[in-house]
């Protein structure tokens, strides 16, 4: 068992449990391009209901859900306001420019959080020689900031601003479930402040594939058309939707265990002088470890940890990221701390 690899690269590495696979096997299916997959339809109703929106659309990935939102809320030549470390800006391979013909205006957040005043200053005045600011995208929890939670009050302020200046709002809620479990604030409360929200089933919730976008019936019917254009029309997708339904029913509440594992990891690493962790940013299941004190590049450290069968990812030249999830136990977290201690002391 000690030879087992401890994989903290992401909560996306989880594999569907036997019970989830059974639910997938037993799913009633149909052709979803015809709108005839009963399990997909059920999932979409459940997710819309859970987030308090009129309709939902199942997508193969979180990236597609975010890009559908951008496509639905903008025209080519528009500008979208995002935080500079957002997933949309960092890891979606310039999709907004490729798929929607828009540019991103990137604003520096504090721990991933933007203020309404900052956003207001970045909204373009109406001038024919400037892009039109049409959409604000926020991320909750914020991945690259270390799983930080957006304060609801700040989102309310941004929402009021967006209403006043007629901008749409989208939430990248890939890990909104983690924010829910950590704060007790229901996803409906967050979602009420956005035109669209994307959520993922394939991260902490443990499904193999799948995300969803929610919004009004009108926006979702346009999103359905764009999903087809993007090549995301799926056929007997009920097999996947069954995993997502299982994830919603069984795997949300347990995210608190992942949060406890992240705090244990952060606490253990705090004893190492060369591994710096900003403890106030460890709010959910992500731990960012600043290794600049080791004077070694993150890539070299990753390689050394890998030989000890511990996998992390690089989040910057000297920053490593660890993500806790359902396929890693508390014992393995304690072992991970010991591996990092021993690698750094050798
Ligand atoms: N995040 C992945 C990587 O792409 C970095 C990870 O390992 O954390 N929004 C957020 C906030 C995300 O963290 C991710 C995935 C996505 C969207 C995209 O989801 P997928 O990978 O399903 O397209």
């Amino acid at each position: 068992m000690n030879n087992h690899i401890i994989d903290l690269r992401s909560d996306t590495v989880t594999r569907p449990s036997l019970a989830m696979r059974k639910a997938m096997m037993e799913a009633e299916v149909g052709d979803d391009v015809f709108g005839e997959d009963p399990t997909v339809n059920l999932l979409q109703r459940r997710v819309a209901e859970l987030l308090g929106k009129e309709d939902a659309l199942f997508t193969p990935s979180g990236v597609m859900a975010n890009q559908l939102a951008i496509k639905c809320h903008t025209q080519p030549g528009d500008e979208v306001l995002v935080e500079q470390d957002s997933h949309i800006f960092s890891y979606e391979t310039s999709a907004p420019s490729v798929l929607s013909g828009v540019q991103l205006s990137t604003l520096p957040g504090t721990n991933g959080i933007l203020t309404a005043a900052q956003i207001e200053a970045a909204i373009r005045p109406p001038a024919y020689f400037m892009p039109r600011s049409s959409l604000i995208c926020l991320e909750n929890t914020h991945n690259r900031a270390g799983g930080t939670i957006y304060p609801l009050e700040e989102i309310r302020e941004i929402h009021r601003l967006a209403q006043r200046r007629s901008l749409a709002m989208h939430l990248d809620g890939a890990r909104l479930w983690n924010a829910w479990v950590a704060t007790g604030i229901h996803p409906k409360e967050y979602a009420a402040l956005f035109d669209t929200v994307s959520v993922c089933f394939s991260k902490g919730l443990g499904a193999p594939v799948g995300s969803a976008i929610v919004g009004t019936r009108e926006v979702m019917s346009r999103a359905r058309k764009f999903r087809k254009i993007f090549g995301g029309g799926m056929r007997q997708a009920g097999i996947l939707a069954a995993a997502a339904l299982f994830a919603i029913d069984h795997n949300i509440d347990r995210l608190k265990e992942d949060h406890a594992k992240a705090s244990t990891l952060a606490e253990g690493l705090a004893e190492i002088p060369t591994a710096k962790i900003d403890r106030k940013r460890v709010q959910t299941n992500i731990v960012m470890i600043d290794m600049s004190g080791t004077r070694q590049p993150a890539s070299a450290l990753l390689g050394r940890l890998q030989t000890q069968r511990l996998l992390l990812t690089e989040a910057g030249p000297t920053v490593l990221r660890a993500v806790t999830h359902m396929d890693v136990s508390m014992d393995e977290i304690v072992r991970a701390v010991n591996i990092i201690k021993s690698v750094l002391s050798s």
Side-chain angles (χ1 to χ4, degrees):
M1 202 49 194
N2 260 6
N3 267 340
H4 186 76
I5 290 178
I6 303 173
D7 193 346
L8 300 180
R9 285 174 302 168
S10 181
D11 44 10
T12 60
V13 302
T14 52
R15 293 180 187 142
S17 64
L18 270 182
M20 182 181 275
R21 286 171 198 242
K22 186 160 180 287
M24 295 170 76
M25 192 180 75
E26 289 169 356
E28 226 187 298
V29 296
D31 189 331
D32 182 49
V33 172
F34 290 117
E36 287 173 3
D37 189 301
T39 311
V40 170
N41 291 338
L42 176 63
L43 172 68
Q44 290 175 166
R45 280 198 303 276
R46 279 286 304 280
V47 176
E49 215 283 309
L50 191 56
L51 285 128
K53 295 290 190 200
E54 284 176 8
D55 206 357
L57 189 69
F58 187 45
T59 63
S61 68
V63 169
M64 190 185 284
N66 284 339
Q67 295 306 320
L68 287 173
I70 293 173
K71 188 78 185 165
C72 287
H73 296 307
T74 63
Q75 292 298 318
D78 283 358
E79 189 166 72
V80 176
L81 288 84
V82 297
E83 200 278 330
Q84 68 181 12
D85 272 328
S86 62
H87 193 276
I88 288 175
F89 180 60
S90 308
Y91 300 122
E92 304 197 5
T93 44
S94 262
S97 61
V98 177
L99 300 173
S100 299
V102 296
Q103 73 179 12
L104 300 179
S105 170
T106 54
L107 312 177
T110 303
N111 299 331
I113 310 304
L114 296 171
T115 63
Q118 246 183 316
I119 294 176
E120 180 151 36
I123 297 175
R124 307 273 186 175
Y128 81 90
F129 47 81
M130 282 186 184
R132 182 178 75 112
S133 309
S134 52
L135 173 65
I136 300 164
C137 296
L138 308 182
E139 189 174 311
N140 191 21
T141 64
H142 193 292
N143 181 347
R144 277 183 60 80
T148 49
I149 298 167
Y150 232 105
L152 191 60
E153 210 28 66
E154 196 60 63
I155 306 178
R156 285 207 180 103
E157 289 270 326
I158 298 170
H159 170 73
R160 280 192 282 270
L161 165 70
Q163 299 253 294
R164 207 166 62 238
R165 303 290 299 267
S166 301
L167 273 78
M169 287 204 16
H170 170 69
L171 175 64
D172 177 349
R175 296 187 180 82
L176 186 60
W177 317 115
N178 296 79
W180 178 13
V181 167
T183 60
I185 299 170
H186 196 276
K188 258 185 209 173
E189 275 196 70
Y190 288 113
L193 302 168
F194 294 89
D195 298 278
T196 48
V197 179
S198 55
V199 289
C200 291
F201 311 111
S202 59
K203 309 211 158 50
L205 299 200
V209 176
S211 290
I213 175 169
V214 299
T216 61
R217 225 165 260 124
E218 189 272 325
V219 173
M220 288 306 100
S221 85
R222 288 194 292 122
R224 184 180 303 276
K225 178 152 185 139
F226 290 131
R227 185 185 65 175
K228 194 76 178 79
I229 292 172
F230 292 175
M234 298 181 284
R235 301 294 177 172
Q236 285 72 34
I239 302 259
L240 302 174
L245 280 165
F246 183 94
I248 291 172
D249 287 336
H250 299 94
N251 293 345
I252 294 180
D253 201 39
R254 62 149 306 287
L255 290 172
K256 56 178 178 279
E257 296 167 27
D258 298 343
H259 300 172
K261 285 179 266 187
S263 333
T264 301
L265 182 66
E267 236 166 75
L269 295 179
E271 293 165 13
I272 311 176
T274 48
K276 270 213 239 45
I277 291 177
D278 183 353
R279 296 284 288 282
K280 69 178 178 310
R281 273 163 57 196
V282 184
Q283 300 171 9
T284 54
N285 70 327
I286 301 179
V287 182
M288 292 293 182
I289 316 161
D290 177 354
M291 294 292 202
S292 49
T294 65
R295 299 184 187 285
Q296 289 180 64
S299 54
L301 287 165
L302 277 185
R304 293 179 60 203
L305 294 169
Q306 193 173 351
T307 61
Q308 302 303 309
R309 308 181 80 73
L310 172 63
L311 306 184
L312 307 182
T313 52
E314 192 178 332
T318 57
V319 180
L320 297 180
R321 182 185 80 155
V323 186
T324 58
H325 52 77
M326 66 202 298
D327 286 358
V328 65
S329 65
M330 194 54 111
D331 283 353
E332 288 173 313
I333 293 295
V334 173
R335 253 188 30 239
V337 172
N338 289 333
I339 291 172
I340 296 171
K341 278 185 182 160
S342 80
V343 161
L344 291 185
S345 64
S346 66

